[in-house]
Amino acid sequence: MFLSNLRVHYCPKSFQQCLATFGKLQYTTKVKCELDTSTEKAIAEDGLKPRKHRGRIKCNNTAVPPEIHDAIVRCAKDYPLKSLITDGQRLSNCIRSRKWYPIDPAPNRGRTNRSIERTPPSAKRQDASVFDMHDEYSCLTQLVGRSDAEYAVLKRIFTEIAQRDPELKPRSFLDFGAGVGTGTWAVAEHWHDHLFEILSVDKSRQMNDLAELVLRQGDPNRATMVRNVFYRQFLPASPDRKYDIVLSAFSLFDQSSRRRLYELVDQLYSTFDKYLILVEQGSNAGFQLLDGIRNHIRRNHDADDKHLFAPCPHSMVCPRMIQDDGTPCNFEATFTRNFPAPGGHQYGSILYSYLVYRKNPPDSAHGFPRLVRATAVRSKHCVCHVCAADGKLRDVAFTTSKHGQMIHRCAKASRWGDLLPMRIQWLDSAEDDPKSDET
C-alpha cells in the first residue's frame, strides 16, 4: 500500500527501477513437485542434509592446487610480478568484453561482406595485439592473470560430471586450445589414476612449452606431475581416433569464420567417445556463439546416440533466445586468486556459458530443473528462476505449507547453476500463465 501511494516522479532513478522490477515480478506456486527418490531416501533415512542434495555442485572459491601455484611462482621469477598481475588483469578484461566478427565469404558476387563493413577497427587489431601468445611474457600474462578463473570454471564443470556419473573412468583426454594447461589440471584432479593419454593442442609453441614447464613444477629437469601428456599444435589428422573427454575452453572465438567454426565443431563432435565440453565467456557474445553451435549440432547430428547433458534439461531451442531480452544464459564460478588483485581482493568470480554433450543414455538427473539465476530467499518461502524440462523459463515459489518441508529446504539451499532434485508438473496452462519476466 505504501509503495502504491508513492509519487514516482519524486523518486530517484534507481528507486524507480526497483519499483518497475517489483511490478514485473511474476511467479507461481501452482506446481506439483515430486522429490527425487534417491534424494528423499537419503534425507529421510540416511540423515543427509537438504543443503547437500544431489543437485548441488559443491565447488566454491576454487583455488589452483598448491603445487601448481608454486610452479607458477617459479616460472614467473624472471619477470616483475606486479607487471604480470596488471597486464593479466588487462588481458582478462579484454577477453571478457571480446566480440566475435566472423569474416565469411559474401554470398553473392559483386557485393561486399556486411560483416567486414561492420567490424570496428579495434576488433581488426585484436589478432595482432592482446590475444597473440607468441612470446614468453604474453604466455606468462595468461598464466598469472587467467589460469585461476579458467581452472575454477573447468573444475566446476568436471565436478558436476563426476557427481552425476560416478562410474566414469576416462582413459583419454583431448584439450583443444589448451593454453597453459588448466584443462589438464582440472581433469587430473578427478581422474588422475585412470588417464593414460592427455593430448594438449594449442597453436602457440611457446604456450605449449610453458604448460609443460608448469607440470614440471618450474624445473625442466623434473618429471611431470601428470603422466602421458603430449603437446601438439594441430588436431590429429586421423578421423578415427577417439577420446573419452574432449574439451574446448575459451578458444572458439579464435575461429575467423562460421564455416571454420562449424568444421571445427564437427571434428570435435566426431572425436569424443563419452563427453564433449565447450566453454566460453558468459557474455552475450559468448552465449550467442555457443547457441549457434548448439543449433548447428541439433540440425546436423540429431540422429545419433549423443545428447545434451548440461546445462539444459531439454533439447529444444534455448528459451533465452526466444525471450530475446539481452540476457545471456550464463553461470558463475568463484575462485581464489593466484595473486591478490591490485585492490587487494583475494577472491574473484567469473561468468561463463557452456555446453556438455554425452554419448550414453540420459542419467537419472536428466530433466531436473536448473537454476539460471540466484535463489531469492524470503520469509517462509523462496523463489527459484529455473529452466524447466518443457523448454521454458519459469519462476516458482516454494513454501513448506504447499510443497512440504523437505522440498522447501532443498530449493532454499540451491544456488545459481544447481539442479533441483525433483520432477515438477506445471498445473497452470500456457494460456493462463503470464509470460515470465526476468527477476
Side-chain angles (χ1 to χ4, degrees):
M1 195 68 184
F2 170 71
L3 290 177
S4 62
N5 292 331
L6 280 176
R7 300 182 66 183
V8 177
H9 60 276
Y10 285 126
C11 296
K13 184 177 180 181
S14 60
F15 189 65
Q16 292 183 25
Q17 293 174 349
C18 291
L19 289 178
T21 301
F22 281 119
K24 287 187 191 180
L25 184 60
Q26 298 173 352
Y27 56 85
T28 181
T29 57
K30 298 178 181 179
V31 294
K32 182 179 179 181
C33 302
E34 181 180 350
L35 198 63
D36 175 60
T37 306
S38 61
T39 303
E40 186 176 11
K41 181 180 178 181
I43 295 175
E45 300 179 7
D46 301 335
L48 179 72
K49 300 292 184 182
R51 65 175 180 272
K52 297 181 179 179
H53 64 76
R54 61 178 294 193
R56 286 294 312 277
I57 304 174
K58 308 169 186 69
C59 195
N60 297 316
N61 292 332
T62 306
V64 299
E67 57 273 15
I68 296 292
H69 183 271
D70 295 340
I72 294 174
V73 174
R74 294 191 189 100
C75 291
K77 66 181 187 310
D78 294 333
Y79 293 89
L81 186 59
K82 186 176 180 180
S83 297
L84 287 173
I85 294 174
T86 303
D87 291 340
Q89 184 64 42
R90 172 177 171 266
L91 173 65
S92 184
N93 293 338
C94 290
I95 293 177
R96 185 172 62 249
S97 59
R98 195 177 187 183
K99 302 292 189 296
W100 189 51
Y101 297 95
I103 304 176
D104 293 293
N108 297 322
R109 294 182 179 179
R111 294 185 181 181
T112 59
N113 192 355
R114 293 183 179 180
S115 65
I116 299 178
E117 292 178 352
R118 68 170 181 266
T119 305
S122 60
K124 296 177 182 178
R125 293 195 300 268
Q126 283 179 352
D127 291 337
S129 58
V130 68
F131 301 114
D132 245 358
M133 299 294 170
H134 296 302
D135 61 84
E136 186 178 2
Y137 184 82
S138 298
C139 296
L140 283 171
T141 300
Q142 171 85 6
L143 178 65
V144 172
R146 288 280 303 176
S147 62
D148 46 12
E150 293 184 4
Y151 174 78
V153 170
L154 299 179
K155 179 73 180 298
R156 183 176 176 87
I157 294 173
F158 285 134
T159 298
E160 179 180 0
I161 293 175
Q163 288 180 188
R164 293 177 60 179
D165 190 0
E167 302 299 323
L168 176 65
K169 296 179 181 179
R171 298 179 62 86
S172 56
F173 173 65
L174 168 63
D175 188 0
F176 176 78
V180 296
T182 50
T184 301
W185 310 347
V187 76
E189 280 287 305
H190 290 281
W191 303 288
H192 182 277
D193 297 333
H194 304 289
L195 289 166
F196 288 91
E197 181 185 0
I198 297 177
L199 182 60
S200 180
V201 180
D202 197 282
K203 64 181 181 181
S204 171
R205 179 176 57 83
Q206 289 79 4
M207 191 72 81
N208 288 333
D209 293 341
L210 179 60
E212 183 177 9
L213 185 62
V214 171
L215 289 184
R216 295 182 183 275
Q217 302 182 52
D219 186 352
N221 297 318
R222 281 192 176 186
T224 58
M225 294 181 285
V226 182
R227 60 183 178 178
N228 298 331
V229 182
F230 305 96
Y231 298 92
R232 299 289 185 271
Q233 291 181 270
F234 304 98
L235 284 169
S238 173
D240 300 327
R241 184 68 180 92
K242 300 291 185 181
Y243 292 85
D244 289 342
I245 299 179
V246 176
L247 168 69
S248 178
F250 305 102
S251 60
L252 299 173
F253 272 105
D254 295 335
Q255 306 306 309
S256 59
S257 66
R258 287 189 177 86
R259 181 180 62 83
R260 292 185 60 179
L261 174 66
Y262 294 153
E263 287 176 354
L264 170 64
V265 170
D266 290 337
Q267 187 174 0
L268 296 178
Y269 193 87
S270 62
T271 302
F272 86 95
D273 197 42
K274 292 184 179 179
Y275 287 93
L276 170 65
I277 306 167
L278 305 173
V279 189
E280 269 302 337
Q281 280 294 137
S283 59
N284 275 303
F287 164 60
Q288 291 169 8
L289 179 73
L290 288 180
D291 185 72
I293 292 174
R294 177 182 172 179
N295 292 332
H296 171 78
I297 292 176
R298 188 170 63 247
R299 288 193 301 266
N300 296 278
H301 303 280
D302 196 32
D304 53 23
D305 57 345
K306 303 169 184 177
H307 68 279
L308 186 60
F309 177 80
C312 311
H314 58 84
S315 58
M316 292 170 275
V317 178
C318 178
R320 288 287 187 199
M321 298 302 295
I322 297 176
Q323 280 194 347
D324 195 20
D325 60 354
T327 303
C329 179
N330 55 17
F331 303 92
E332 183 182 46
T334 57
F335 59 92
T336 303
R337 299 181 187 273
N338 291 330
F339 306 96
H345 301 289
Q346 184 65 38
Y347 301 100
S349 63
I350 178 175
L351 296 177
Y352 66 97
S353 298
Y354 73 109
L355 296 172
V356 179
Y357 287 89
R358 178 184 178 182
K359 182 183 178 181
N360 268 325
D363 64 326
S364 59
H366 187 73
F368 285 174
R370 185 177 296 272
L371 283 159
V372 293
R373 282 297 176 264
T375 303
V377 179
R378 300 293 182 262
S379 176
K380 298 183 180 180
H381 74 281
C382 64
V383 181
C384 295
H385 190 48
V386 301
C387 182
D390 60 357
K392 296 181 180 180
L393 293 175
R394 296 180 181 271
D395 293 301
V396 55
F398 293 98
T399 66
T400 301
S401 60
K402 291 188 177 182
H403 308 104
Q405 185 183 35
M406 202 176 296
I407 289 179
H408 178 216
R409 291 180 66 186
C410 286
K412 183 179 178 180
S414 300
R415 300 292 180 262
W416 184 5
D418 292 344
L419 294 172
L420 293 179
M422 59 189 74
R423 307 291 177 179
I424 300 181
Q425 180 181 354
W426 309 95
L427 303 181
D428 47 352
S429 63
E431 292 80 13
D432 298 333
D433 190 24
K435 185 179 179 181
S436 174
D437 294 307
E438 184 67 29
T439 58

